[in-house]
Amino acid sequence: MNGTSRAYDVVVLGAGPAGENLADRTRAAGLTSVIVENELLGGECSFWACEPSKALLRPVVARADARRVPGLRRAVEGPLDVPAIFAHRDKMATYWQDEDQVDWLRSVSVDLVRGHGRLDGPRQVVVDMPDGETVRLTARHAVGVSTGTVTAFPDLPGLEHARPWTNRDATAARHVPDRLAVVGGGVVAVEMATAFQALGSQVTMLVRGHKGLLNRMEPFAGEMVADALRAAGAEVRFGTSVTGVAREDGAESPVRVDLDDGDSLVADEILFATGRSPHTADIGLETVGLTPGDWLTVDDSYRVTDVADGWLYAVGDVNRRALMTHQGKYQARIAGAVIGARAKGEPLDDSRWGAHASTADSAAVPQVVFSEPEVASVGLTTREAERAGLRVDVVDYDIGRVAGAAQYADGYRGTARVLIDADRRTVVGVTFVGPGTQELLYSATVVIASEVQVDRLWHAVPAFPTISEVWLRILETYRDRVGPVT
């Protein structure tokens, strides 16, 4: 970019998936947009999270599936080809180059400024560029913050000098440690424990709480994943807190991990997957009356609530509503339409499921944990439904009893749970655990977002023999419990 000052209708800080979508949607609304990024376009998801992690996990899950298929077991008895998997991971992360993303941004007529951007008062963004120059960007209508999150480390003695792994270190690893300690029990911890145990590490999971793995999901999901990890050879310890770490004899030495019960263990690497913090410490929040390092609280149109005049928006992980790539992209699509409508003085359709409503953030957030077995969920859990005061019928079904599951794998183990609002007779929550269940998730999301009554679902006929026939079995179970539903 030439010059030291430019004006746009919309300035976006952060070019991860949420920021890219926000810039694209505001441009599609007829506004001029610029995006600011100091790393790679595509952000965490493309280069250090979704894409590389799933590239590591796909061979793991595929081998586990093949081992359960007659005629294939002997073909997959050997170890995984780690160099080939790492090479595929590199390809899926586009070798940590973002030229394709730059080309796409150019194709949708969004400008790019590379450098560190920070707010400098209302509607002002200052960018420190790699060449030492500074560019000032003025937003006529809106500034969107989509800077995402970073690893949240606990305050532990010796942690910095022990050089712990973050998710970035794990997904971009160039070697498989003989012993890997994984601290945490959430999605990143589970997925990386699954991957590295299969790649050849002896994994020990250290989970502070007693509620199990994936404790924001239905309890049976974490229980089934923990059982599978243990069956694969991993050690999973609950109620265990790390009190200190040390790597005493140089960069290549093992890590000693001290625990709150007085025990300790030794690992070659230690991955901390204990949560995320907002990436807002250095983006100038103090210049608009906000606290650096805080999450950005937004209303249902994604305006930051504590900033006057409604010009500051936040989408994606930084607003803490739903820390998932696809949900951040959804938020960006909604926010882009909102900004466009407000710029033109048009009324908003913010009714439930309206064009400018963020309904899915609370009612239909889909999530897949690419573990073995897979976990797929959308909508409310039983615990969340109870807290919301909903009267729900909980319908569980053993997926292994479906003909399609028997075709999929010998000894198929899986569980489906569907929550049905007893008053409205609509589905409000779904959880599937089992091989191949990720591909059932979109149908569940459509059912919830469409608020389809169970009476109508009888007319959505699942093909035989597929795992999706579980929907029919769930309806039959519900009918047998409460009476005819059609």
Side-chain angles (χ1 to χ4, degrees), residues 286-303:
E286 68 280 2
T287 70
V288 295
L290 301 176
T291 302
D294 276 2
W295 300 95
L296 297 180
T297 302
V298 297
D299 63 19
D300 286 339
S301 69
Y302 301 108
R303 273 178 167 171

PDB file of all heavy atoms in Angstrom, residues 286-303:
ATOM      1  N   GLU A 286      -7.105  -0.036  24.852  1.00  0.00           N
ATOM      2  CA  GLU A 286      -7.119   1.056  25.822  1.00  0.00           C
ATOM      3  C   GLU A 286      -7.465   2.395  25.182  1.00  0.00           C
ATOM      4  O   GLU A 286      -7.944   3.311  25.861  1.00  0.00           O
ATOM      5  CB  GLU A 286      -5.770   1.145  26.543  1.00  0.00           C
ATOM      6  CG  GLU A 286      -4.587   1.594  25.684  1.00  0.00           C
ATOM      7  CD  GLU A 286      -4.002   0.477  24.823  1.00  0.00           C
ATOM      8  OE1 GLU A 286      -4.535  -0.655  24.861  1.00  0.00           O
ATOM      9  OE2 GLU A 286      -3.007   0.745  24.115  1.00  0.00           O
ATOM     10  N   THR A 287      -7.276   2.525  23.864  1.00  0.00           N
ATOM     11  CA  THR A 287      -7.564   3.796  23.197  1.00  0.00           C
ATOM     12  C   THR A 287      -9.059   4.008  22.952  1.00  0.00           C
ATOM     13  O   THR A 287      -9.463   5.102  22.554  1.00  0.00           O
ATOM     14  CB  THR A 287      -6.826   3.894  21.848  1.00  0.00           C
ATOM     15  OG1 THR A 287      -7.400   2.981  20.912  1.00  0.00           O
ATOM     16  CG2 THR A 287      -5.340   3.616  22.023  1.00  0.00           C
ATOM     17  N   VAL A 288      -9.852   2.975  23.188  1.00  0.00           N
ATOM     18  CA  VAL A 288     -11.310   3.108  23.023  1.00  0.00           C
ATOM     19  C   VAL A 288     -12.038   2.735  24.307  1.00  0.00           C
ATOM     20  O   VAL A 288     -13.217   2.391  24.293  1.00  0.00           O
ATOM     21  CB  VAL A 288     -11.811   2.267  21.833  1.00  0.00           C
ATOM     22  CG1 VAL A 288     -11.247   2.796  20.529  1.00  0.00           C
ATOM     23  CG2 VAL A 288     -11.488   0.785  22.012  1.00  0.00           C
ATOM     24  N   GLY A 289     -11.319   2.792  25.441  1.00  0.00           N
ATOM     25  CA  GLY A 289     -11.946   2.581  26.737  1.00  0.00           C
ATOM     26  C   GLY A 289     -12.108   1.139  27.163  1.00  0.00           C
ATOM     27  O   GLY A 289     -12.849   0.858  28.119  1.00  0.00           O
ATOM     28  N   LEU A 290     -11.417   0.224  26.513  1.00  0.00           N
ATOM     29  CA  LEU A 290     -11.496  -1.190  26.873  1.00  0.00           C
ATOM     30  C   LEU A 290     -10.183  -1.641  27.499  1.00  0.00           C
ATOM     31  O   LEU A 290      -9.164  -0.950  27.414  1.00  0.00           O
ATOM     32  CB  LEU A 290     -11.811  -2.037  25.644  1.00  0.00           C
ATOM     33  CG  LEU A 290     -13.124  -1.711  24.921  1.00  0.00           C
ATOM     34  CD1 LEU A 290     -13.259  -2.557  23.655  1.00  0.00           C
ATOM     35  CD2 LEU A 290     -14.322  -1.941  25.834  1.00  0.00           C
ATOM     36  N   THR A 291     -10.203  -2.817  28.120  1.00  0.00           N
ATOM     37  CA  THR A 291      -9.035  -3.328  28.831  1.00  0.00           C
ATOM     38  C   THR A 291      -8.255  -4.297  27.955  1.00  0.00           C
ATOM     39  O   THR A 291      -8.807  -5.306  27.506  1.00  0.00           O
ATOM     40  CB  THR A 291      -9.452  -4.038  30.124  1.00  0.00           C
ATOM     41  OG1 THR A 291     -10.191  -3.127  30.947  1.00  0.00           O
ATOM     42  CG2 THR A 291      -8.230  -4.529  30.890  1.00  0.00           C
ATOM     43  N   PRO A 292      -6.978  -4.025  27.690  1.00  0.00           N
ATOM     44  CA  PRO A 292      -6.173  -4.949  26.895  1.00  0.00           C
ATOM     45  C   PRO A 292      -6.166  -6.349  27.515  1.00  0.00           C
ATOM     46  O   PRO A 292      -6.080  -6.502  28.733  1.00  0.00           O
ATOM     47  CB  PRO A 292      -4.779  -4.319  26.938  1.00  0.00           C
ATOM     48  CG  PRO A 292      -5.023  -2.861  27.158  1.00  0.00           C
ATOM     49  CD  PRO A 292      -6.223  -2.804  28.064  1.00  0.00           C
ATOM     50  N   GLY A 293      -6.268  -7.348  26.654  1.00  0.00           N
ATOM     51  CA  GLY A 293      -6.254  -8.725  27.123  1.00  0.00           C
ATOM     52  C   GLY A 293      -7.613  -9.289  27.462  1.00  0.00           C
ATOM     53  O   GLY A 293      -7.727 -10.486  27.747  1.00  0.00           O
ATOM     54  N   ASP A 294      -8.661  -8.457  27.416  1.00  0.00           N
ATOM     55  CA  ASP A 294     -10.011  -8.930  27.739  1.00  0.00           C
ATOM     56  C   ASP A 294     -10.692  -9.545  26.518  1.00  0.00           C
ATOM     57  O   ASP A 294     -10.371  -9.220  25.359  1.00  0.00           O
ATOM     58  CB  ASP A 294     -10.880  -7.775  28.241  1.00  0.00           C
ATOM     59  CG  ASP A 294     -10.698  -7.501  29.728  1.00  0.00           C
ATOM     60  OD1 ASP A 294      -9.857  -8.186  30.355  1.00  0.00           O
ATOM     61  OD2 ASP A 294     -11.374  -6.591  30.243  1.00  0.00           O
ATOM     62  N   TRP A 295     -11.660 -10.423  26.797  1.00  0.00           N
ATOM     63  CA  TRP A 295     -12.599 -10.847  25.766  1.00  0.00           C
ATOM     64  C   TRP A 295     -13.458  -9.647  25.366  1.00  0.00           C
ATOM     65  O   TRP A 295     -13.671  -8.724  26.174  1.00  0.00           O
ATOM     66  CB  TRP A 295     -13.505 -11.960  26.275  1.00  0.00           C
ATOM     67  CG  TRP A 295     -12.800 -13.200  26.714  1.00  0.00           C
ATOM     68  CD1 TRP A 295     -12.424 -13.522  27.984  1.00  0.00           C
ATOM     69  CD2 TRP A 295     -12.359 -14.284  25.888  1.00  0.00           C
ATOM     70  NE1 TRP A 295     -11.790 -14.737  28.008  1.00  0.00           N
ATOM     71  CE2 TRP A 295     -11.738 -15.239  26.735  1.00  0.00           C
ATOM     72  CE3 TRP A 295     -12.441 -14.547  24.524  1.00  0.00           C
ATOM     73  CZ2 TRP A 295     -11.199 -16.432  26.252  1.00  0.00           C
ATOM     74  CZ3 TRP A 295     -11.906 -15.733  24.037  1.00  0.00           C
ATOM     75  CH2 TRP A 295     -11.294 -16.659  24.896  1.00  0.00           C
ATOM     76  N   LEU A 296     -13.966  -9.649  24.144  1.00  0.00           N
ATOM     77  CA  LEU A 296     -14.811  -8.568  23.671  1.00  0.00           C
ATOM     78  C   LEU A 296     -16.269  -9.018  23.714  1.00  0.00           C
ATOM     79  O   LEU A 296     -16.682  -9.902  22.962  1.00  0.00           O
ATOM     80  CB  LEU A 296     -14.415  -8.163  22.253  1.00  0.00           C
ATOM     81  CG  LEU A 296     -12.995  -7.610  22.115  1.00  0.00           C
ATOM     82  CD1 LEU A 296     -12.692  -7.228  20.668  1.00  0.00           C
ATOM     83  CD2 LEU A 296     -12.778  -6.413  23.035  1.00  0.00           C
ATOM     84  N   THR A 297     -17.017  -8.424  24.611  1.00  0.00           N
ATOM     85  CA  THR A 297     -18.420  -8.769  24.781  1.00  0.00           C
ATOM     86  C   THR A 297     -19.245  -8.066  23.713  1.00  0.00           C
ATOM     87  O   THR A 297     -19.111  -6.851  23.509  1.00  0.00           O
ATOM     88  CB  THR A 297     -18.921  -8.360  26.175  1.00  0.00           C
ATOM     89  OG1 THR A 297     -18.105  -9.017  27.163  1.00  0.00           O
ATOM     90  CG2 THR A 297     -20.371  -8.768  26.375  1.00  0.00           C
ATOM     91  N   VAL A 298     -20.101  -8.817  23.039  1.00  0.00           N
ATOM     92  CA  VAL A 298     -20.875  -8.266  21.934  1.00  0.00           C
ATOM     93  C   VAL A 298     -22.363  -8.499  22.150  1.00  0.00           C
ATOM     94  O   VAL A 298     -22.778  -9.372  22.920  1.00  0.00           O
ATOM     95  CB  VAL A 298     -20.457  -8.899  20.586  1.00  0.00           C
ATOM     96  CG1 VAL A 298     -19.004  -8.569  20.266  1.00  0.00           C
ATOM     97  CG2 VAL A 298     -20.683 -10.409  20.586  1.00  0.00           C
ATOM     98  N   ASP A 299     -23.178  -7.688  21.438  1.00  0.00           N
ATOM     99  CA  ASP A 299     -24.613  -7.939  21.428  1.00  0.00           C
ATOM    100  C   ASP A 299     -24.924  -8.932  20.306  1.00  0.00           C
ATOM    101  O   ASP A 299     -24.015  -9.478  19.665  1.00  0.00           O
ATOM    102  CB  ASP A 299     -25.404  -6.635  21.291  1.00  0.00           C
ATOM    103  CG  ASP A 299     -25.135  -5.910  19.975  1.00  0.00           C
ATOM    104  OD1 ASP A 299     -24.631  -6.536  19.018  1.00  0.00           O
ATOM    105  OD2 ASP A 299     -25.452  -4.700  19.895  1.00  0.00           O
ATOM    106  N   ASP A 300     -26.190  -9.152  20.039  1.00  0.00           N
ATOM    107  CA  ASP A 300     -26.550 -10.172  19.062  1.00  0.00           C
ATOM    108  C   ASP A 300     -26.329  -9.747  17.615  1.00  0.00           C
ATOM    109  O   ASP A 300     -26.561 -10.532  16.697  1.00  0.00           O
ATOM    110  CB  ASP A 300     -28.009 -10.599  19.263  1.00  0.00           C
ATOM    111  CG  ASP A 300     -28.187 -11.469  20.490  1.00  0.00           C
ATOM    112  OD1 ASP A 300     -27.181 -12.057  20.944  1.00  0.00           O
ATOM    113  OD2 ASP A 300     -29.316 -11.572  21.013  1.00  0.00           O
ATOM    114  N   SER A 301     -25.866  -8.509  17.404  1.00  0.00           N
ATOM    115  CA  SER A 301     -25.455  -8.104  16.054  1.00  0.00           C
ATOM    116  C   SER A 301     -23.941  -8.021  15.955  1.00  0.00           C
ATOM    117  O   SER A 301     -23.412  -7.550  14.951  1.00  0.00           O
ATOM    118  CB  SER A 301     -26.081  -6.754  15.688  1.00  0.00           C
ATOM    119  OG  SER A 301     -25.520  -5.711  16.469  1.00  0.00           O
ATOM    120  N   TYR A 302     -23.233  -8.448  17.028  1.00  0.00           N
ATOM    121  CA  TYR A 302     -21.774  -8.501  17.118  1.00  0.00           C
ATOM    122  C   TYR A 302     -21.125  -7.146  17.306  1.00  0.00           C
ATOM    123  O   TYR A 302     -19.909  -6.999  17.141  1.00  0.00           O
ATOM    124  CB  TYR A 302     -21.169  -9.246  15.912  1.00  0.00           C
ATOM    125  CG  TYR A 302     -21.716 -10.651  15.838  1.00  0.00           C
ATOM    126  CD1 TYR A 302     -22.625 -11.016  14.849  1.00  0.00           C
ATOM    127  CD2 TYR A 302     -21.377 -11.600  16.800  1.00  0.00           C
ATOM    128  CE1 TYR A 302     -23.162 -12.295  14.807  1.00  0.00           C
ATOM    129  CE2 TYR A 302     -21.915 -12.872  16.767  1.00  0.00           C
ATOM    130  CZ  TYR A 302     -22.809 -13.225  15.769  1.00  0.00           C
ATOM    131  OH  TYR A 302     -23.354 -14.480  15.737  1.00  0.00           O
ATOM    132  N   ARG A 303     -21.929  -6.138  17.700  1.00  0.00           N
ATOM    133  CA  ARG A 303     -21.340  -4.882  18.149  1.00  0.00           C
ATOM    134  C   ARG A 303     -20.744  -5.075  19.537  1.00  0.00           C
ATOM    135  O   ARG A 303     -21.344  -5.720  20.403  1.00  0.00           O
ATOM    136  CB  ARG A 303     -22.410  -3.804  18.234  1.00  0.00           C
ATOM    137  CG  ARG A 303     -22.668  -3.042  16.946  1.00  0.00           C
ATOM    138  CD  ARG A 303     -23.788  -2.037  17.148  1.00  0.00           C
ATOM    139  NE  ARG A 303     -23.856  -1.080  16.055  1.00  0.00           N
ATOM    140  CZ  ARG A 303     -24.838  -0.209  15.893  1.00  0.00           C
ATOM    141  NH1 ARG A 303     -25.846  -0.172  16.772  1.00  0.00           N
ATOM    142  NH2 ARG A 303     -24.825   0.635  14.876  1.00  0.00           N
TER     143      ARG A 303
END
